[in-house]
Amino acid sequence: MEQYHPIIHFTYFCMVLGCSMFFMHPVCIGISLAGAVCYTLHLFEWRKIRKGLAGVFFLMVMTAVMNPAFSHQGVTFLVYLPTGNILTLESIWYGIAAACMLAAVLLWFRCMNRVVTADEIIYLFGKSFPALGLILSMIMGFIPKMKKKLREISFARRLVPVEVLQENKESSQKKQKSIFCAVKRKIERVRHSIETLSILITWALEDAAETADSMKSRGYGLEGRTVFTTYRFTKRDARMLLLFFGEMVYLILGNGLGGIAWNYYPETGGAVLGFYSISIYLVYLCMCLTPLIVDCYEERKWNRLRSAI
């Protein structure tokens, strides 16, 4: 999928993110979440994303628990909460659906951050919307740069001279009998974290200002400025774009005609399972799995060609 034109990348992720946020049918939410998880596991190594997946799962649990605790809509009464409010079955179902939808959107955004690079954002918006393109490109690379810089700051702060470490060790040994030793250590950790965060924020502001000045000095956004690019829109890209538009039109028509309609309040229910609904689910599944299918096909083709050498 990464070898396609930037327009294909941006169009696909806009479509899949929009469908993930607006199609609230349980089957559609499950398809989007499954596709996002599969593509995330395909793009990233397990050791690099296991903490991120654990964080997404924790966020899902929190969302699913908080919705019935604060929302009391619905007609199916279950039990009274300690606060005196009622717990309804509809609020539980909506909380689970919202949690899965949020997880799918977050994972799709992570995949988008990997596939759609900053250069592609500049290429897509540099001429028509230069300020927007610059801001989006900075946002896309903000989190990885911040994580890398945080590791550098933490590593640099640990490189304290041996004499200072020895002095701190001796002074700490003298204070072992103090009942406030543990509290002081916690306060020292908090102070260390605050100083690290302050350094990181200062660096981020300076980096943003330097990036803006650098782009301005290069004439970014000026009328008539030419840009060298290696991106070429080929027939393969045109076929993929037509496929995406065909799938999107079918999904929009299906949603408009009630094929995947679903309500959670006041009573959970929606479109019954039928041939038309199944066809919509299959088209949506095809759209969510398209990048994974394309990548697997390209890898298989490359392995076959390499083995033939």
Side-chain angles (χ1 to χ4, degrees), residues 9-307:
H9 298 161
F10 189 77
T11 302
Y12 173 76
F13 283 106
C14 287
M15 289 167 47
V16 75
L17 285 171
C19 293
S20 300
M21 289 185 286
F22 290 104
F23 293 167
M24 292 300 294
H25 196 284
V27 177
C28 294
I29 294 176
I31 291 174
S32 178
L33 181 59
V37 171
C38 293
Y39 197 43
T40 303
L41 294 175
H42 174 73
L43 289 178
F44 303 93
E45 298 179 3
W46 170 250
R47 62 183 181 85
K48 293 183 179 180
I49 62 169
R50 56 185 179 182
K51 292 183 179 180
L53 291 178
V56 171
F57 179 75
F58 175 76
L59 188 61
M60 288 177 61
V61 174
M62 292 296 297
T63 304
V65 171
M66 289 178 63
N67 185 77
F70 292 95
S71 177
H72 313 290
Q73 304 179 46
V75 297
T76 307
F77 166 77
L78 295 179
V79 70
Y80 279 102
L81 297 175
T83 58
N85 296 315
I86 62 173
L87 177 65
T88 62
L89 181 63
E90 288 77 14
S91 63
I92 295 176
W93 285 123
Y94 186 80
I96 296 174
C100 295
M101 181 196 68
L102 180 61
V105 170
L106 291 176
L107 292 177
W108 281 122
F109 265 116
R110 181 158 190 174
C111 296
M112 181 180 179
N113 192 26
R114 173 65 178 271
V115 177
V116 184
T117 62
D119 293 337
E120 293 183 356
I121 294 293
I122 294 295
Y123 169 77
L124 292 173
F125 298 98
K127 292 183 179 180
S128 303
F129 308 98
L132 178 62
L134 180 59
I135 292 174
L136 289 177
S137 64
M138 293 175 65
I139 291 174
M140 297 290 287
F142 182 74
I143 299 299
K145 290 175 66 176
M146 290 282 284
K147 291 173 63 177
K148 181 180 179 181
K149 193 64 179 181
L150 180 61
R151 289 194 296 266
E152 293 178 358
I153 295 172
S154 301
F155 180 75
R157 289 177 65 84
R158 286 198 299 266
L159 297 179
V160 184
V162 180
E163 296 79 6
V164 177
L165 292 176
Q166 187 65 27
E167 292 177 1
N168 293 338
K169 183 177 180 181
E170 294 176 356
S171 61
S172 62
Q173 291 176 352
K174 295 179 181 178
K175 297 178 181 179
Q176 286 295 327
K177 298 181 180 180
S178 176
I179 59 175
F180 301 103
C181 183
V183 177
K184 289 182 178 179
R185 284 199 298 267
K186 291 182 179 179
I187 294 176
E188 185 66 23
R189 290 177 184 174
V190 173
R191 186 182 65 83
H192 183 275
S193 300
I194 293 175
E195 291 178 353
T196 303
L197 181 62
S198 176
I199 295 172
L200 185 63
I201 293 175
T202 303
W203 169 83
L205 295 175
E206 291 179 352
D207 182 72
E210 290 178 358
T211 302
D213 292 340
S214 176
M215 298 298 286
K216 184 178 180 180
S217 63
R218 297 176 184 180
Y220 176 75
L222 295 179
E223 185 177 358
R225 178 178 179 267
T226 58
V227 180
F228 172 76
T229 178
T230 58
Y231 302 121
R232 296 293 182 270
F233 194 83
T234 61
K235 293 182 179 180
R236 184 184 63 171
D237 299 319
R239 290 192 296 266
M240 186 62 70
L241 190 62
L242 289 176
L243 174 63
F244 289 158
F245 279 135
E247 293 173 342
M248 195 63 192
V249 169
Y250 192 81
L251 292 174
I252 293 176
L253 289 176
N255 184 55
L257 296 175
I260 53 176
W262 193 266
N263 295 319
Y264 292 92
Y265 299 119
E267 187 176 2
T268 303
V272 296
L273 186 64
F275 178 78
Y276 185 53
S277 299
I278 293 176
S279 66
I280 297 174
Y281 303 148
L282 292 177
V283 171
Y284 191 41
L285 178 64
C286 179
M287 186 179 72
C288 291
L289 296 181
T290 294
L292 184 61
I293 295 173
V294 171
D295 288 348
C296 292
Y297 173 76
E298 293 292 339
E299 290 178 3
R300 184 179 178 181
K301 182 178 179 181
W302 167 249
N303 293 331
R304 185 172 64 253
L305 293 174
R306 187 173 58 179
S307 62

